[in-house]
Amino acid sequence: ATRTKSVDVERADSGIGQMPARKWRNRASETLSSLQAWEAHRPCTDCGERDLPAETDVQNCNQRRADLCEKCRKRRTERKESVLEFVNTEASYGEDLRIIKEEFYLPMQAAGLLSQEQLLGIFSNIQELIDLNENFLEILQEEIDQAFDQGDDDLMTVCIGEIFLEFVNMLPAFQTYCLQQSSSVNMLNALEKEKELLRIFLNVSQNDNTALRRMNLRSFLMAPLQRVTKYPLLLSRIIKATTEYHPDHGSLREAKSRIESHLEHINMKTKQEGNTWTLRSFRQDSKKKREVINIEMRETALKTVGWLREETRFVMEGSLQLAQPPDGQWVKKGSKTLKFQNMQVLLLVNVKRVSESSLESAEPGPVKDAVLVLIRDKNNGKFHLLREPLRLSNCIVSTDPDCDDTFELIEIRREAFVFRDSDRARTHHWFRQIRRYSKELGSWKKRRNALPNIMISTPHTRP
């Protein structure tokens, strides 16, 4: 009996009274009801609104696609269709380019119907357009396949705008083709009248070659012009179906603005060359006007340095004030004594291509050369160079704390220039970028393993 009393007996109840237990069960029931109510009216994951349709069937509720409202569900469907339309039409355009080469260019070349110069005059840079289309389409298709593999049936992870901006260097290739289109058609018309074999070949191809869909060569040669003018429309459809919170929304708008600016620039160039035809016109705003001017300046700079387009990067560009001190004593005199003039300045670097699959790699190759191109403001509708480009490998860039609103660039054994921007912070940014490439490419690095050449004067005494 004594041993039984000392033993601790385990309690069989929960340790709380009946009233607290009843209150806890009621509170749990209320919480569960609240969670179920919130679950039934949870906000849309795209727009945050709570206008989801009521679901009575539990299975349908579980299968509800990503908790979307009806409006966002429709928008996702439209976006998916627009993205697939962009990719499918790009593939169709590539097929037309392939037909131009394989059904017209190569047979005409093999049969000797036209000389190489005549073929180049008619088909222009068609091979460059083919290469660009293949690379562009490959990246697009990889993004589509990857999205489907990851279960993204709505293609929300596919960022057309970012991909387009990576391949923005294809736009100058379209410009080259468009500007030569008028002369290409005129040459084709003249040669067809002159050469009977050419005329027979074109007629037989159109009527008997099923791959041509009974279209003639002139129709296929219009494919690049039709494609480049369709890009803004396709991008607009994707933008309309893409919520502003989507990570690709800003890139889509930037891509649309870039292509429209290039189209306006092409129209401007065709008018300057006296051609009557123009591409589709787009409403211009101040930003697009500035972009058109930038495109023209880039073309002038690229033509001056003679680099390949795909190996050129435009690091900085914009308006700077420039002065040339006659005696090089600008620090002692101060910038107030200098006479500045407005100048358009472009910083270009020449890089090695890391990969052939992309025109603009995320990690560009090593810099081979860097130049500073100085362009005067427009005179009679054209840009003019101030002088030949300044090669930064032959320049020394420096600044002084007493004149921190300017920086100096000295071309070794030649001239000195003082630059400044209206904004001091931007002046410092220009200075850092130019000095960076000057140090990387400077010929002084090749001496003494890049150690400074310090001269120390000490008295020498003979023993």
Side-chain angles (χ1 to χ4, degrees):
T2 305
R3 189 181 300 113
T4 305
K5 289 181 180 180
S6 63
V7 174
D8 293 331
V9 179
E10 182 180 0
R11 300 189 58 157
D13 60 353
S14 61
I16 61 176
Q18 293 182 356
M19 291 298 294
R22 189 179 299 113
K23 291 181 180 179
W24 179 85
R25 285 194 295 269
N26 293 336
R27 186 174 300 174
S29 179
E30 293 175 359
T31 304
L32 179 61
S33 300
S34 300
L35 289 174
Q36 290 176 347
W38 183 88
E39 181 70 20
H41 301 284
R42 67 170 60 185
C44 172
T45 56
D46 278 7
C47 65
E49 297 182 1
R50 296 177 179 269
D51 60 346
L52 293 175
E55 298 285 355
T56 57
D57 188 359
V58 177
Q59 185 177 1
N60 292 336
C61 183
N62 293 333
Q63 292 178 352
R64 189 167 51 192
R65 187 175 64 182
D67 297 317
L68 299 173
C69 66
E70 191 64 28
K71 181 179 178 181
C72 291
R73 191 180 304 182
K74 183 178 179 181
R75 182 190 289 122
R76 283 199 176 193
T77 301
E78 293 175 353
R79 186 182 187 278
K80 177 181 178 180
E81 293 175 352
S82 300
V83 169
L84 291 178
E85 181 187 13
F86 188 99
V87 179
N88 293 335
T89 53
E90 187 70 22
S92 299
Y93 161 66
E95 180 64 20
D96 288 343
L97 294 180
R98 186 194 65 80
I99 289 176
I100 293 175
K101 178 181 178 180
E102 297 183 2
E103 305 297 335
F104 289 106
Y105 180 89
L106 293 179
M108 293 165 64
Q109 184 184 46
L113 296 178
L114 297 177
S115 65
Q116 192 62 35
E117 182 179 356
Q118 291 170 337
L119 289 172
L120 181 60
I122 293 175
F123 296 98
S124 187
N125 61 330
I126 195 68
Q127 184 59 52
E128 182 182 11
L129 294 177
I130 291 175
D131 295 338
L132 289 168
N133 169 261
E134 290 178 351
N135 294 335
F136 189 35
L137 187 60
E138 181 182 358
I139 299 299
L140 290 172
Q141 196 60 55
E142 286 180 359
E143 290 292 318
I144 297 292
D145 295 340
Q146 183 177 0
F148 282 132
D149 292 341
Q150 294 176 351
D152 179 18
D153 295 334
D154 292 331
L155 303 181
M156 295 298 292
T157 57
V158 177
C159 296
I160 296 293
E162 293 182 3
I163 299 174
F164 194 95
L165 291 177
E166 289 179 3
F167 283 83
V168 74
N169 272 349
M170 68 181 175
L171 298 181
F174 277 106
Q175 175 179 316
T176 301
Y177 186 91
C178 292
L179 293 179
Q180 295 183 9
Q181 178 64 18
S182 180
S183 60
S184 298
V185 173
N186 293 335
M187 177 179 289
L188 178 61
N189 294 335
L191 290 173
E192 192 174 3
K193 292 179 181 179
E194 177 184 346
K195 296 178 178 293
E196 183 178 0
L197 290 178
L198 176 62
R199 185 167 61 253
I200 294 174
F201 168 77
L202 296 177
N203 290 334
V204 171
S205 299
Q206 180 180 355
N207 296 324
D208 298 341
N209 192 341
T210 57
L212 304 186
R213 310 187 298 274
R214 303 195 60 88
M215 293 169 55
N216 57 27
L217 175 57
R218 293 174 185 79
S219 299
F220 282 101
L221 291 177
M222 291 295 295
L225 280 72
Q226 295 169 350
R227 184 59 186 171
V228 73
T229 54
K230 197 173 183 180
Y231 280 136
L233 178 61
L234 295 172
L235 291 172
S236 296
R237 291 177 182 174
I238 301 177
I239 292 172
K240 184 179 179 181
T242 302
T243 177
E244 61 180 354
Y245 303 109
H246 193 279
D248 196 39
H249 190 268
S251 298
L252 285 168
R253 290 192 173 276
E254 178 66 19
K256 180 174 178 287
S257 177
R258 296 286 290 273
I259 181 63
E260 288 180 355
S261 299
H262 270 273
L263 292 177
E264 290 294 346
H265 178 65
I266 293 174
N267 285 336
M268 182 188 66
K269 297 288 286 185
T270 55
K271 291 179 182 179
Q272 291 178 355
E273 296 180 4
N275 295 328
T276 57
W277 66 272
T278 57
L279 297 175
R280 179 183 173 187
S281 179
F282 296 89
R283 183 180 61 184
Q284 278 195 351
D285 54 22
S286 57
K287 180 180 178 181
K288 288 177 185 160
K289 288 180 180 179
R290 291 195 301 270
E291 180 64 22
V292 170
I293 294 175
N294 291 340
I295 294 171
E296 191 172 356
M297 288 195 302
R298 292 174 202 147
E299 284 188 347
T300 302
L302 199 59
K303 185 178 180 181
T304 302
V305 298
W307 296 344
L308 295 176
R309 186 186 302 116
E310 59 270 19
E311 295 183 356
T312 304
R313 300 290 180 270
F314 292 89
V315 179
M316 290 192 68
E317 56 189 24
S319 177
L320 283 179
Q321 294 180 342
L322 176 145
Q324 292 182 267
D327 54 2
Q329 300 298 320
W330 68 279
V331 174
K332 294 182 180 180
K333 293 180 179 179
S335 59
K336 294 182 180 180
T337 61
L338 298 174
K339 294 181 179 180
F340 286 89
Q341 57 178 325
N342 292 326
M343 195 71 53
Q344 298 295 333
V345 182
L346 294 90
L347 174 57
L348 288 71
V349 297
N350 187 235
V351 299
K352 294 181 180 179
R353 294 177 63 181
V354 175
S355 174
E356 296 294 332
S357 61
S358 175
L359 296 179
E360 281 197 24
S361 174
E363 297 181 359
V367 175
K368 297 188 293 185
D369 201 355
V371 299
L372 210 61
V373 180
L374 309 179
I375 301 178
R376 299 181 185 272
D377 285 337
K378 265 192 171 184
N379 185 16
N380 297 327
K382 294 183 179 180
F383 287 110
H384 298 280
L385 295 175
L386 175 68
R387 64 188 304 285
E388 66 272 12
L390 291 165
R391 298 200 172 274
L392 297 187
S393 58
N394 298 328
C395 295
I396 299 174
V397 188
S398 60
T399 186
D400 190 272
D402 296 333
C403 300
D404 62 346
D405 61 335
T406 59
F407 65 91
E408 183 182 31
L409 184 146
I410 300 177
E411 190 178 17
I412 299 175
R413 299 176 183 175
R414 296 193 65 180
E415 299 176 275
F417 300 90
V418 178
F419 294 95
R420 73 180 181 187
D421 193 280
S422 56
D423 179 52
R424 181 169 298 187
R426 188 162 174 81
T427 300
H428 295 167
H429 185 53
W430 273 99
F431 166 69
R432 288 191 297 269
Q433 290 289 342
I434 296 174
R435 183 179 62 173
R436 168 193 169 188
Y437 293 105
S438 175
K439 284 187 174 182
E440 287 183 4
L441 301 170
S443 57
W444 61 272
K445 293 180 64 177
K446 300 177 182 178
R447 303 195 308 267
R448 299 176 179 265
N449 295 323
L451 295 175
N453 189 4
I454 301 177
M455 301 294 294
I456 302 178
S457 298
T458 56
H460 296 277
T461 57
R462 295 195 179 191

